[in-house]
Amino acid sequence: MPQHFLLSKKYRDTSLHRLLRMTDEELFDFVKKLKFGNGKEIPCTRCGAIDTHPFIKRRKGWKCKHCTREFSLTSGTVWADMKLPLSKLIMIIYQFCTSANGISAVQVSTDAEVAYKTAWVVMHKLREVIARTIDTSLMEGEVHVDGGHFGGKPRSGQFRPSNKARYAAAAEKLAGKTQGIKRRGISKANFERKKRNRRIVMVVRQVAPAEGANRTRVFLSSGENEAVAKYIAKHCIANGSLVRTDENKAYDSYKQFFTHQTVEHSKEYSTIDGVNNNQAESFFSRLRRCEYGTTHRMQAAYMIDYANEMAWKEDWRRKSVKEKLINLLESSFHVGFSRWWRGYWQGYRRNDEMLIA
């Protein structure tokens, strides 16, 4: 039986132990090489002039020969104006990369010895980097599409209604036990809260033969309807592709543009002919484990950020730790300033939910 990739030596090409043993100078050189390469001439992040700018050792930065302004490794990036030591930033990114179902900001704040709000913003900046570097080219070949409900899950009533007639048979069958009897329904206030926080995460996954899905895109919507399905068809899938969905009528229009196959999930997970959308279900499994086991709840305003994180983890599941770490670091250096989290604690907030419909 082949070994799982996460258990292989190839996956473990770097470790937190190794990163913690690196000196500040070694970490600085590692990040500098990723951002500027090995050359002595580097670009000024202020004016763009490429030259051998003098290095200011005390401030761990450079002074541009042309505009005379100082700049550092984090200037002009999502980490601009950050006061977090480089060692702690690398540690947080490592934890972010290696947690299969995500990691809570509480745990990160404890391990990195930073305030909770610092850990929370750093992790959301990483999610922003992922969202802004998504491959938006059209998917081809076999594509799986589905929608899943997330958020808005208040508890049911406290007491078990064992005295009601419709539950009497269940109670008798269980010989007096109450573990199998349903609780009474949720209150009207809880039901309204559930509707207010409930959203649909739409996932589109391109399938590679014998490898599973190799590309994932996610969207947030208020419902799994025809308008959402047409938006996905237009912006994500190339005409003529083989698209597999469930039996939802929202996808009826796909017959006009794609080879459309469906599976009726109320009866089966896969048809006798092998028609399924298991790659979409696989993504939902990871996102649901993140919601239930890591974050415990997802606010509607930030649900798309968590969905993008899980999509990235799915696509990079067969990459080594070092490859994932380098990918996130390099991407964070090339997307510019943070659009959503720079000045968050000073009141600059992203107010919309980024819904597609």
Side-chain angles (χ1 to χ4, degrees), residues 4-6 11 96-102 130 139 144 150 201 203-208 211-218 277-290 306-320 324 327:
H4 194 284
F5 178 70
L6 295 182
Y11 175 74
F96 185 91
C97 292
T98 55
S99 55
N101 304 318
I130 290 171
M139 296 185 183
H144 291 190
F150 290 87
V201 175
V203 63
V204 189
R205 305 199 72 189
Q206 178 178 277
V207 180
E211 292 183 9
N214 59 359
R215 280 187 60 200
T216 307
R217 291 193 65 186
V218 291
N277 66 343
N278 287 346
Q279 294 304 322
E281 299 297 339
S282 174
F283 167 80
F284 288 141
S285 176
R286 188 187 293 262
L287 183 58
R288 219 169 287 285
R289 289 195 298 270
C290 172
Y306 292 104
N308 276 316
E309 176 191 354
M310 294 303 116
W312 182 83
K313 289 180 185 295
E314 279 284 338
D315 292 347
W316 284 75
R317 66 191 182 279
R318 290 192 176 92
K319 302 294 184 181
S320 69
K324 290 189 282 190
N327 171 261

Side-chain angles (χ1 to χ4, degrees), residues 70-90:
E70 294 182 7
F71 63 96
S72 65
L73 289 176
T74 59
S75 296
T77 71
V78 293
W79 314 117
D81 308 321
M82 181 189 69
K83 298 177 176 62
L84 196 66
L86 198 58
S87 57
K88 291 188 176 184
L89 175 63
I90 299 297

Side-chain angles (χ1 to χ4, degrees), residues 20-47:
L20 292 177
R21 288 173 59 90
M22 294 176 67
T23 64
D24 291 342
E25 288 74 19
E26 289 173 334
L27 276 175
F28 183 86
D29 291 339
F30 170 69
V31 177
K32 177 181 175 248
K33 182 179 178 181
L34 288 180
K35 184 172 184 180
F36 297 127
N38 291 321
K40 294 182 179 180
E41 295 185 343
I42 61 175
C44 171
T45 57
R46 301 281 189 171
C47 67

